[in-house]
Amino acid sequence: MRRILRFLVISLLLAFIVLQFFQPEKNNGEVSSNHIFNQEQVPENIQNILTTACLDCHSNHTNYWWYNNIAPVSWMVNDHISEGKSELNFSEWAAMDIFEKITILEEICQETERKSMPLKSYRTIHPKAKLSDEQIAELCNWTTKLAEELLANAASE
Ligand code: HEC
């Protein structure tokens, strides 16, 4: 019995070590001119909110923590990033047309108000990403204002 247990523990340990050699590609892109920060007027408080709570999953650049490099956590994090980026990528803001931008701005406000974003697992691990009601209100004021400006600019073109 003891032997079997020892065999099991050692096998599991080996499997864990082997797993570490299979890692997803890192989300380590540079900030380009297509990034929302270089495309729109984004006040500093909003830049801070987006940077601490959203950009890790919704841009081409993630700030990894050491444990993010350990499989299988690395794969879970990678899943969130690919899924998050496919819904909204602030690094590729310039690639969206005005309708997409206005729709997503509204969703940014809605998702944060409903506390669906940032993801709960992320909020638990990154306490700073837990947005206060005040921060959510600031974010929503900004998304509304930017959407109005985009519309006004489009109308005057
Ligand atoms: C830990 C990763 C992660 C973080 C951090 C994060 N998101 Fe997301 N986001 C996702 C994933 C995954 C999806 C797609 C699945 C879903 O909707 O739950 C998503 C979807 C979205 C969508 C599209 C929703 C829809 O249903 O169309 C919006 C808008 C959004 N996020 C905004 C934000 C904002 C704003 C922040 C910061 C306040 C944020 N997210 C932080 C992972 C993240």
Side-chain angles (χ1 to χ4, degrees), residues 62-76:
T62 303
N63 284 316
Y64 290 93
W65 287 20
W66 64 267
Y67 59 80
N68 293 154
N69 300 315
I70 299 169
V73 175
S74 51
W75 286 100
M76 200 192 86

Side-chain angles (χ1 to χ4, degrees), residues 99-115:
F99 298 106
E100 290 168 328
K101 285 177 183 165
I102 288 173
T103 311
I104 204 80
L105 283 168
E106 213 168 283
E107 282 178 10
I108 289 170
C109 172
Q110 273 174 10
E111 296 290 315
T112 37
E113 269 186 339
R114 281 192 207 129
K115 317 257 156 126

Side-chain angles (χ1 to χ4, degrees), residues 97-152:
D97 68 32
I98 176 167
F99 298 106
E100 290 168 328
K101 285 177 183 165
I102 288 173
T103 311
I104 204 80
L105 283 168
E106 213 168 283
E107 282 178 10
I108 289 170
C109 172
Q110 273 174 10
E111 296 290 315
T112 37
E113 269 186 339
R114 281 192 207 129
K115 317 257 156 126
S116 330
M117 284 293 146
L119 291 183
K120 192 151 183 244
S121 58
Y122 187 84
R123 269 181 285 156
T124 312
I125 300 169
H126 303 79
K128 279 197 192 137
K130 230 177 258 169
L131 300 180
S132 65
D133 289 347
E134 202 185 342
Q135 284 177 307
I136 295 170
E138 285 170 12
L139 190 64
C140 285
N141 278 339
W142 171 72
T143 54
T144 311
K145 195 165 146 249
L146 180 56
E148 281 169 6
E149 276 170 17
L150 290 172
L151 259 182

